[in-house]
Amino acid sequence: MKELNFYTVDPDYIEALQAVDPKVPNIKYETHDKFACGVLFEIAGHEYFAPISSFKRQQKTNFIIKNSKGKPVGCVRFSFMFPIPKGLQVIKDFSAEDPKRKRLLIEELAYCNKHARRIKSKALHVYRTATSGEDAQMAAVCCDFKALERYVRERYGDDRG
């Protein structure tokens, strides 16, 4: 199984996605910009990524990330995942972070990779449940994955080659 990684995403791309679906999260913050975990799965030629958040409460649409002491430190937010065309994401550079934050990011990424199978499985489950119409409540809290895919297809073409 391919390892997960953390990625920074082109802010102009995020802004364009937010015009399609306002649930796509902001990535620009005063202290630390938001980043995404991926590749979670590929469907219809679209690679999906989910934002990493400091939110620590378990929900049906997230995966709690714990530090080396087992304490929740954040989560992967599947409800806000989105497709990213190749070239609009870059592997996150931890060396630019202060030592304490760098250590936390390394721990978070290690935890995600230790649980990569569960993360990828849950991400795909959330996607399928939200797009199938079988759970209206889940669909209501998730990004409109199909609308985001249409936008990517129309703007960037079909990646299926």
Side-chain angles (χ1 to χ4, degrees):
M1 178 183 329
K2 189 174 178 188
E3 272 198 353
L4 294 171
N5 223 321
F6 290 162
Y7 295 85
T8 56
V9 185
D10 182 291
D12 294 332
Y13 175 69
I14 294 297
E15 193 174 305
L17 288 184
Q18 289 170 330
V20 174
D21 186 342
K23 288 186 193 125
V24 172
N26 291 323
I27 60 167
K28 294 306 248 177
Y29 290 89
E30 278 187 36
T31 54
H32 303 289
D33 289 346
K34 192 173 286 275
F35 53 95
C37 180
V39 172
L40 301 173
F41 59 89
E42 185 175 332
I43 197 155
H46 301 283
E47 292 182 338
Y48 267 80
F49 298 76
I52 299 296
S53 171
S54 58
F55 187 77
K56 298 175 189 91
R57 197 173 50 128
Q58 183 62 59
Q59 296 178 313
K60 289 190 326 184
T61 59
N62 70 7
F63 177 85
I64 299 296
I65 301 170
K66 297 178 181 176
N67 66 13
S68 58
K69 296 176 181 161
K71 180 183 176 206
V73 292
C75 73
V76 184
R77 302 290 302 263
F78 304 122
S79 53
F80 303 130
M81 63 187 165
F82 49 88
I84 307 176
K86 289 177 184 11
L88 296 180
Q89 78 280 1
V90 176
I91 293 176
K92 183 158 181 56
D93 180 10
F94 293 169
S95 69
E97 303 290 343
D98 68 73
K100 184 177 179 183
R101 181 155 168 82
K102 179 180 177 179
R103 188 173 52 254
L104 173 64
L105 293 173
I106 290 169
E107 276 188 46
E108 287 180 324
L109 182 57
Y111 190 85
C112 286
N113 275 304
K114 181 178 178 183
H115 300 280
R117 190 174 310 279
R118 283 181 44 213
I119 289 171
K120 290 179 177 192
S121 175
K122 190 166 185 178
L124 191 55
H125 171 75
V126 169
Y127 174 91
R128 287 183 173 150
T129 303
T131 58
S132 70
E134 68 186 60
D135 186 335
Q137 185 178 11
M138 185 179 290
V141 300
C142 289
C143 288
D144 185 341
F145 304 130
K146 294 297 186 180
L148 296 174
E149 290 171 11
R150 274 192 303 280
Y151 168 78
V152 170
R153 213 171 20 260
E154 291 166 6
R155 173 68 174 84
Y156 298 95
D158 191 346
D159 276 355
R160 286 182 280 184

